[in-house]
Amino acid sequence: MDSNADIFNIFDQDKHFQEVMKRLLEDSMTFSFNGIMITESGPGYPIRYVNPAFSEMTGYGPHEIYGKSPNILQGPKTDPEVLERLGQDISVGRPFHGRAVNYRKDGSEFMMEWKIVPIRNATEEITHYLAIQREVS
């Protein structure tokens, strides 16, 4: 195989593509150093998944935050201009990248950098959002 080939070409040759891809995605999310959150695209953007790195960064366990809005992480020092830009970007289906003060479960502040990308179904409708997050200084 050409070393410059797209890594996903290996799945073209594997008859168990779906199982391999599922395990690849599960492990990459579970063992990532970055926090990962998946939300629905509906009102309030209910949280449907967080990985262990997210829980370690924020103090919220998966069962504590499931179904809640990501705004649970925001507070008095969260920059409203960043949140406005976030809203504008996702309202037109554009990926977002920003930094803002967020709050852990214990109320302590931390600076978070994050990217949010829309997840589309087969008809290109946005059904979920994937957020990749990390604490920065």
Side-chain angles (χ1 to χ4, degrees):
M1 178 179 270
D2 180 354
S3 63
N4 294 325
D6 181 347
I7 190 169
F8 293 106
N9 285 342
I10 64 172
F11 298 117
D12 293 340
Q13 309 303 316
D14 191 320
K15 64 182 177 180
H16 303 291
F17 170 77
Q18 290 180 339
E19 184 61 31
V20 170
M21 184 56 98
K22 179 183 174 198
R23 287 179 186 216
L24 179 123
L25 290 172
E26 285 175 352
D27 286 348
S28 64
M29 292 168 81
T30 299
F31 297 105
S32 175
F33 291 108
N34 293 314
I36 296 174
M37 173 193 294
I38 298 173
T39 69
E40 290 182 9
S41 63
Y45 308 103
I47 297 169
R48 293 297 170 223
Y49 172 83
V50 295
N51 73 342
F54 173 90
S55 295
E56 184 177 323
M57 179 174 56
T58 66
Y60 287 102
H63 298 295
E64 296 174 285
I65 202 157
Y66 185 86
K68 296 199 176 1
S69 173
N71 70 12
I72 195 170
L73 301 173
Q74 299 162 8
K77 292 187 181 176
T78 304
D79 186 345
E81 290 180 14
V82 173
L83 298 178
E84 184 177 329
R85 188 167 55 82
L86 164 63
Q88 291 170 351
D89 285 354
I90 66 172
S91 72
V92 295
R94 194 171 44 225
F96 166 82
H97 180 200
R99 284 184 176 201
V101 172
N102 273 335
Y103 295 82
R104 293 181 179 88
K105 180 181 175 182
D106 68 6
S108 62
E109 299 173 5
F110 69 103
M111 179 63 70
M112 185 176 78
E113 178 178 25
W114 77 114
K115 291 184 179 184
I116 298 176
V117 295
I119 306 300
R120 292 178 166 84
N121 64 15
T123 62
E124 293 299 311
E125 173 189 17
I126 296 172
T127 60
H128 295 82
Y129 292 98
L130 169 68
I132 303 168
Q133 309 161 334
R134 65 181 176 176
E135 184 174 357
V136 294
S137 50

